[in-house]
Amino acid sequence: MSTPGYQVPGRTATEQFPDSGYWNQQYRSEPYYLEGDTYDDYSAAYETGYAFRRRDPAAEFAAAEDQLRREWEGRKGNSRLDWSRARLAIQRAWERGADPHGT
């Protein structure tokens, strides 16, 4: 059990995905959601889209799609999503990444 705010000596602090709270509440309302999916299935996709958009806000989604796919495949972990469904979640986070206060 960890104590909130406690930094383990010798370890780099990890920053939680800043939009995770929003997506954890929202993912079930998205059109690509399927019954039985969990937030863990989507989290890497949301992180990928959000992080890429924040790094390169001027990029076009279509032009960045190949790189986004590679990044998602590198971080998807145990996600049960195939690329076609992950792509939709990545694009939604991409869109939201341009305006994190909008939808």
Side-chain angles (χ1 to χ4, degrees), residues 57-68:
E60 295 291 327
F61 185 84
E65 193 169 340
D66 288 341
Q67 186 174 349
L68 286 162

Side-chain angles (χ1 to χ4, degrees), residues 26-42:
Q26 178 67 25
Y27 79 96
R28 288 180 198 91
S29 300
E30 294 295 316
Y32 46 79
Y33 169 77
L34 295 178
E35 189 66 36
D37 287 349
T38 68
Y39 178 70
D40 289 340
D41 291 320
Y42 295 97

